[in-house]
Amino acid sequence: MGRKIALWLIWVGFVGYVLWLAPLDQPDTLPLVLKLVTFQWGDLNAILVAIFCLMGVWPMIYACLMFVDSRMQQVRAWPSFLASNGTGIIGLFPYLILRESNQEFYGAKNVWLKLLDSRNTGVALLLSTVGLLAYAWLAGDWGDFVQQWQTRHFVNAITWDFCLMPLGFPSLLGDDMARRGLKNSRVFWVVALVPLFGPLFYLCLRPPLRETTIKGTAVPQSI
């Protein structure tokens, strides 16, 4: 219950913050968003571009846990996953709030679940993140970004959204670790407390989820 209350307070607080900022009412917001989504990045600050792209990486990080978890839930992960790609935690957190803790997984993995469960997906997300952060560091203008953060409501909102994304990950992590037989609490806290790279390295190193044909019966693994 405490987890749900905390997530609910974060969600309500951020929604209120975004509505108060009213980013879509700013005359320069729509042209900026169009440049970002159409890859017209030539005159944009590399730091903003990196944050925008990382806001696409974060939903995939969550997807690698959410869709397995959703198999055992009444609420589906698809709506929140799709919404999170455009609205960040506004679309993502409703699933985290509505789900119930469940540490089991029954059935076989379909193609989508196999992709999300693959360590190669984690490696691809890690390399993408490193590339984006290197691009921001080498080509970005921090002074200009700080000024935009202070004066442009969209930049302010997407930056806060990016900073808040890690806060929901621990609510899925414990159950995902339990499904994989990981019981080391130190692993949980390292992954939970290291923003972005904790979840990324977890996806790269976690053992694969075992499939079952029926409750409690493992699917034989092919050699």
Side-chain angles (χ1 to χ4, degrees):
M1 182 58 70
R3 169 187 63 84
K4 292 191 175 187
I5 293 174
L7 293 171
W8 174 255
L9 290 175
I10 294 170
W11 186 83
V12 170
F14 184 69
V15 170
Y17 184 71
V18 170
L19 291 176
W20 176 66
L21 286 173
L24 296 181
D25 290 338
Q26 303 301 309
D28 63 341
T29 297
L30 185 57
L32 176 60
V33 173
L34 288 175
K35 285 184 178 181
L36 286 168
V37 299
T38 57
F39 305 103
Q40 300 177 44
W41 298 343
D43 60 343
L44 298 181
N45 193 317
I47 299 171
L48 175 60
V49 173
I51 291 175
F52 176 79
C53 293
L54 287 170
M55 287 303 294
V57 171
W58 262 120
M60 285 302 302
I61 293 173
Y62 274 94
C64 291
L65 277 65
M66 284 171 59
F67 283 92
V68 168
D69 180 72
S70 177
R71 174 74 68 85
M72 312 307 298
Q73 301 287 338
Q74 295 295 322
V75 59
R76 300 293 90 189
W78 277 108
S80 285
F81 170 70
L82 294 176
S84 68
N85 281 275
T87 62
I89 71 167
I90 294 177
L92 175 68
F93 273 35
Y95 176 80
L96 305 182
I97 294 168
L98 294 174
R99 67 174 291 273
E100 299 295 336
S101 180
N102 190 299
Q103 300 180 350
E104 299 175 328
F105 177 83
Y106 305 134
K109 293 180 285 188
N110 57 27
V111 174
W112 176 239
L113 289 184
K114 287 180 180 178
L115 175 65
L116 296 177
D117 195 48
S118 171
R119 290 179 176 177
N120 291 334
T121 299
V123 172
L125 291 172
L126 175 61
L127 293 177
S128 299
T129 299
V130 171
L132 288 168
L133 292 177
Y135 171 62
W137 181 263
L138 296 173
D141 184 336
W142 284 100
D144 173 70
F145 177 75
V146 171
Q147 183 180 23
Q148 290 194 56
W149 183 83
Q150 292 173 336
T151 59
R152 304 182 79 167
H153 291 164
F154 174 77
V155 177
N156 185 285
I158 195 174
T159 303
W160 277 115
D161 200 359
F162 173 74
C163 293
L164 292 172
M165 285 293 279
L167 298 183
F169 194 78
S171 68
L172 294 169
L173 177 60
D175 287 349
D176 192 75
M177 289 178 60
R179 293 186 189 104
R180 300 168 194 276
L182 298 174
K183 300 179 180 180
N184 192 326
S185 62
R186 288 178 293 182
V187 172
F188 175 88
W189 287 113
V190 169
V191 173
L193 295 177
V194 178
L196 190 54
F197 282 100
L200 285 169
F201 278 110
Y202 174 73
L203 296 182
C204 293
L205 299 174
R206 65 180 180 172
L209 191 69
R210 297 191 66 185
E211 297 179 291
T212 59
T213 52
I214 58 175
K215 183 175 180 179
T217 305
V219 173
Q221 300 296 313
S222 59
I223 299 176

